[in-house]
Amino acid sequence: MAIIQPNHESLIHRVYSAPLRFWHWANTIVISGSLITVLINSTITDKRTITKIIKTQLKAQGATVTDDQSGSVAHTLGDSVWSIHTWFGYVLVALLLFRLILEFFQLTDQKFTRQIKYLYRQFHSTKKERELAKHELTVKAIYALFYILLIIMALTGLFLAFEDLLAPFKSIRHSVKEVHGFCMYLIIAFILVHLAGVFLAERNDDKGIVSDMINGGNNK
């Protein structure tokens, strides 16, 4: 995701390499698609709702359908959506690995870890810009938390996707699923905060965040 910036000059130049921009927008698409599949399965293809619809519609056509039969059809529809969700998850894992590898090949001043170290030093050594350093360091910490959430989502998602191969750990499946779902809500919260921050920055003195993430920014 693009960096949420304060409404004044930043201590870090907003410059984004082409691979990082690719990761950002690809990640945006994949996470959005994944969340949409969750929304669909909790509304449109919800088993209890769709079972009643299937049974009602088939009865209207003169067919005799039991609850088990209509429930089986509803379950199949839900599984189809979850299959798409799983594929989004695989792509998300691939993008996460891409981002971790990219960190080693980024230009030194564009490395996420180096920027955190730089801001930490600025906060402790510079009185003049301490508040600015504190703000940007807080933002970076939030992004670090986002990366951690992605890693947890990826690991728990892979566990659920390959649960048949991980039969010895079946007893913790429910807990893993709960963690996976909880992380999803935290990621949604991050996205909302991120969008709000970008919107406020674009309306004030720190314009160009979105265009920088498209065009790459500059070193001015």
Side-chain angles (χ1 to χ4, degrees), residues 2 5 13-17 21 25 202 206-218:
Q5 299 289 343
H13 293 305
R14 230 170 32 219
V15 181
Y16 309 112
S17 64
R21 282 177 277 142
W25 294 114
E202 289 283 359
D206 199 30
K207 300 180 185 297
I209 292 178
V210 176
S211 61
D212 284 346
M213 186 49 78
I214 295 174
N215 302 313
N218 56 68

Side-chain angles (χ1 to χ4, degrees), residues 1-5 13-28 99 102 106 110 112 115 140 143 146-147 190 194-195 198 202 206-218:
M1 296 288 180
I3 300 172
I4 302 173
Q5 299 289 343
H13 293 305
R14 230 170 32 219
V15 181
Y16 309 112
S17 64
L20 182 59
R21 282 177 277 142
F22 162 78
W23 176 84
H24 172 272
W25 294 114
N27 208 49
T28 300
R99 180 64 183 90
L102 178 62
Q106 287 277 83
Q110 294 181 32
F112 182 79
Q115 290 177 354
K140 288 294 184 182
Y143 278 87
F146 172 69
Y147 287 128
F190 169 85
H194 171 69
L195 292 176
V198 171
E202 289 283 359
D206 199 30
K207 300 180 185 297
I209 292 178
V210 176
S211 61
D212 284 346
M213 186 49 78
I214 295 174
N215 302 313
N218 56 68

Side-chain angles (χ1 to χ4, degrees), residues 27-150:
N27 208 49
T28 300
I29 293 171
V30 171
I31 290 178
S32 298
S34 180
L35 292 176
I36 288 172
T37 58
V38 174
L39 179 62
I40 290 174
N41 249 4
S42 61
T43 55
I44 299 175
T45 58
D46 177 67
K47 186 175 180 179
R48 287 175 295 183
T49 302
I50 201 69
T51 296
K52 293 179 181 179
I53 294 174
I54 292 171
K55 189 175 181 180
T56 300
Q57 291 299 316
L58 289 177
K59 278 189 174 182
Q61 299 298 320
T64 301
V65 183
T66 65
D67 288 338
D68 288 341
Q69 289 172 328
S70 56
S72 178
V73 175
H75 183 72
T76 300
L77 289 173
D79 282 349
S80 297
V81 177
W82 282 128
S83 178
I84 297 173
H85 179 83
T86 300
W87 279 105
F88 273 124
Y90 293 150
V91 178
L92 186 63
V93 170
L95 287 172
L96 180 58
L97 291 175
F98 174 80
R99 180 64 183 90
L100 293 174
I101 294 171
L102 178 62
E103 181 68 12
F104 291 99
F105 294 94
Q106 287 277 83
L107 294 176
T108 302
D109 61 348
Q110 294 181 32
K111 291 180 182 290
F112 182 79
T113 49
R114 184 188 181 280
Q115 290 177 354
I116 290 180
K117 291 178 181 178
Y118 169 74
L119 291 170
Y120 183 79
R121 288 198 301 270
Q122 287 295 104
F123 176 74
H124 284 281
S125 63
T126 309
K127 290 184 178 180
K128 180 181 178 181
E129 297 180 323
R130 176 162 294 180
E131 285 303 312
L132 179 55
K134 179 181 179 181
H135 172 88
E136 295 195 25
L137 190 59
T138 300
V139 172
K140 288 294 184 182
I142 294 174
Y143 278 87
L145 177 60
F146 172 69
Y147 287 128
I148 292 172
L149 287 175
L150 283 183

